[in-house]
Amino acid sequence: MPDGHPTPDQEALSKIDTTVPHSARIWNYWMGGKDNYDVDRIAGDAYREIAPNIETMARASRVYLIRTVTFVARERGIRQFLDIGTGLPTYDNTHQVAQKVAPESRIVYVDNDPLVLRHAQALLTSTPEGVTDYVDADLHDPDAILEHAGKILDFSKPVALMLMGILGHIQDYEEAKDIVRRLQAALPSGSYFVHYDSTDTDAELKRAQEGYDDTGAVPYVLRSPRQLTAYYEGLELLEPGIVSCPLWRPEPGSTPEPTDVYGGVAYKP
């Protein structure tokens, strides 16, 4: 603080509330990460006690991210990624997966969590040929996200829009659908929509989520797989459709077990 003003990193630290659990930090805990606090571990353990499958879901969602990013990069030639709701870095993050396939890939991460902001420099690593950037913005304001992302991404060329486990934080279902539509409308033909969210398909998970929501943390709405289909309207949904994430194009010879996180990949004609 040489001029008496806090640095962005110090400002981010000052905004971190360690008195209530936070979903990104709890998810990080379930994934084996270190960027969490006692309040998150307590809430995570309480959730897991009711819904022991949650860690399986967390890890399945990351494997799904790896498979889908690899697919659109390798099989469909996508070189631009807009990953909204980044969360805390763990392993095989979007830029690492995409740039492993195509080093020239450009990735924009979007989040508004101060702890994620603190770790932005870890996310900003990139191959020399590519670009990785971070936007501090709120999903409730998709226009601001697109404006900032447009400084890095070329929206005249195909983009993979990624909304991974984030839409449940939009409490109003109609608003969630509207946000998705506005973001998709900015994508040119040839783009892809990559998504997953936890679902209401398990009674234990619903009970655990209710307990979590009562802690004062930002609630997460578990929606049905049928409700999730609305996010894909107007796009060409790729096979096998919207399915439990382990069942989305699993590795040949594997025997994946379904879990209560559903997603799909769709093409914008």
Side-chain angles (χ1 to χ4, degrees):
M1 200 185 307
D3 59 357
H5 296 288
T7 65
D9 191 59
Q10 289 168 328
E11 286 189 2
L13 283 171
S14 70
K15 295 177 183 177
I16 296 173
D17 186 353
T18 60
T19 64
V20 295
H22 189 282
S23 62
R25 301 193 309 246
I26 295 174
W27 208 251
N28 176 267
Y29 172 53
W30 287 329
M31 296 272 286
K34 306 295 184 184
D35 300 308
N36 46 73
Y37 297 93
D38 284 342
V39 67
D40 307 307
R41 293 187 284 272
I42 291 169
D45 289 342
Y47 199 115
R48 183 173 49 198
E49 187 173 338
I50 299 171
N53 192 41
I54 189 63
E55 282 192 357
T56 299
M57 290 173 56
R59 297 178 190 279
S61 68
R62 179 50 53 119
V63 174
Y64 172 77
L65 181 149
I66 296 167
R67 282 206 311 278
T68 53
V69 171
T70 300
F71 170 79
V72 297
R74 179 178 294 155
E75 305 300 328
R76 300 302 173 99
I78 296 297
R79 299 295 181 261
Q80 301 190 108
F81 297 80
L82 178 55
D83 185 345
I84 303 175
T86 305
L88 289 162
T90 51
Y91 59 88
D92 288 336
N93 301 288
T94 298
H95 71 285
Q96 294 165 320
V97 178
Q99 292 180 344
K100 183 177 180 180
V101 174
E104 70 274 22
S105 296
R106 304 171 73 86
I107 295 89
V108 172
Y109 290 110
V110 181
D111 211 300
N112 69 335
D113 178 76
L115 190 60
V116 176
L117 180 59
R118 180 188 175 196
H119 287 275
Q121 287 194 343
L123 289 171
L124 292 177
T125 58
S126 175
T127 57
E129 305 94 326
V131 177
T132 305
D133 204 356
Y134 174 84
V135 173
D136 183 12
D138 193 318
L139 183 56
H140 288 279
D141 190 356
D143 293 335
I145 290 174
L146 292 167
E147 179 183 354
H148 288 296
K151 298 174 183 177
I152 302 296
L153 305 179
D154 181 355
F155 279 97
S156 70
K157 299 178 180 178
V159 176
L161 168 65
M162 300 173 58
L163 294 172
M164 311 292 259
I166 189 66
L167 289 171
H169 286 302
I170 305 298
Q171 302 301 293
D172 183 85
Y173 181 48
E174 294 302 318
E175 182 185 5
K177 291 190 291 184
D178 181 65
I179 288 170
V180 173
R181 281 193 293 267
R182 289 162 68 185
L183 290 168
Q184 291 172 347
L187 303 178
S189 175
S191 293
Y192 286 83
F193 174 55
V194 185
H195 158 262
Y196 76 74
D197 266 301
S198 300
T199 56
D200 64 355
T201 44
D202 180 79
E204 290 179 343
L205 188 67
K206 289 196 289 186
R207 188 158 60 89
Q209 189 63 49
E210 289 170 0
Y212 170 80
D213 292 344
D214 289 341
T215 64
V218 177
Y220 183 94
V221 180
L222 297 171
R223 296 188 169 110
S224 69
R226 178 182 291 273
Q227 286 177 302
L228 301 187
T229 62
Y231 301 149
Y232 299 79
E233 289 178 359
L235 306 179
E236 294 181 3
L237 190 62
L238 304 187
E239 291 293 335
I242 303 167
V243 296
S244 178
C245 286
L247 304 184
W248 195 90
R249 302 195 179 198
E251 294 296 324
S254 63
T255 54
E257 293 290 332
T259 190
D260 300 289
V261 54
Y262 279 60
V265 176
Y267 171 78
K268 182 173 181 178

